[in-house]
Amino acid sequence: MNKTVKILLGIFTFLPLVVVIGSVVLTIYEILALVFSTEPVNPFLFIPYIAYVFPFILIFMAIYLLLGIFYLVHLLQNRQLDNEKKILWIAVLFAFNAFSMPAYWYIHVWSDESVQTEKKYQMDYDSSRTES
């Protein structure tokens, strides 16, 4: 996987976390605005906005589902992990998906190339020491 694909995958991986945090902050802000408002509020004013937000929610859900499938397949095909770690990562990805996907991306997708490069340099160093 080249660096551009890893960066795009990272952006899409962190997107659910940003949306979850943003939604919580926006909800708290709206509740506080309603509580401290001196004007009467009609709660049905927000219903027309659902028609505008619903397509974005569907797109977000599709991206989130595809990310989950990608990480599950990547996890099952990852040869660096033994079966116990795979089972643990599967449980963590299902339980804390929006929070654990960025961690898995950083540990096993983004840092994967640097680990292989480091191992290569270590093997080159070891072979050069045995030859002399």
Side-chain angles (χ1 to χ4, degrees), residues 22-72:
S23 298
V24 169
V25 168
L26 185 63
T27 303
I28 291 172
Y29 172 76
E30 289 294 328
I31 289 172
L32 290 175
L34 287 174
V35 167
F36 294 112
S37 175
T38 57
E39 300 175 9
V41 177
N42 184 0
F44 297 111
L45 280 175
F46 298 107
I47 290 178
Y49 294 111
I50 293 174
Y52 297 112
V53 174
F54 191 70
F56 292 109
I57 292 173
L58 288 178
I59 291 169
F60 177 73
M61 287 173 50
I63 291 171
Y64 198 64
L65 180 66
L66 291 173
L67 277 173
I69 292 169
F70 170 79
Y71 282 117
L72 184 63

Side-chain angles (χ1 to χ4, degrees), residues 26-124:
L26 185 63
T27 303
I28 291 172
Y29 172 76
E30 289 294 328
I31 289 172
L32 290 175
L34 287 174
V35 167
F36 294 112
S37 175
T38 57
E39 300 175 9
V41 177
N42 184 0
F44 297 111
L45 280 175
F46 298 107
I47 290 178
Y49 294 111
I50 293 174
Y52 297 112
V53 174
F54 191 70
F56 292 109
I57 292 173
L58 288 178
I59 291 169
F60 177 73
M61 287 173 50
I63 291 171
Y64 198 64
L65 180 66
L66 291 173
L67 277 173
I69 292 169
F70 170 79
Y71 282 117
L72 184 63
V73 170
H74 188 273
L75 174 65
L76 293 174
Q77 293 177 350
N78 193 346
R79 295 182 183 182
Q80 295 176 347
L81 297 175
D82 58 352
N83 286 337
E84 292 173 354
K85 289 182 182 177
K86 286 182 182 182
I87 292 171
L88 178 64
W89 268 112
I90 289 171
V92 168
L93 283 173
F94 277 118
F96 307 107
N97 43 21
F99 301 103
S100 62
M101 279 189 220
Y104 183 85
W105 172 82
Y106 181 75
I107 294 169
H108 295 288
V109 176
W110 181 251
S111 300
D112 186 31
E113 184 177 316
S114 62
V115 169
Q116 291 174 358
T117 306
E118 189 176 310
K119 287 180 182 179
K120 180 183 176 233
Y121 287 136
Q122 182 66 34
M123 288 174 44
D124 290 344

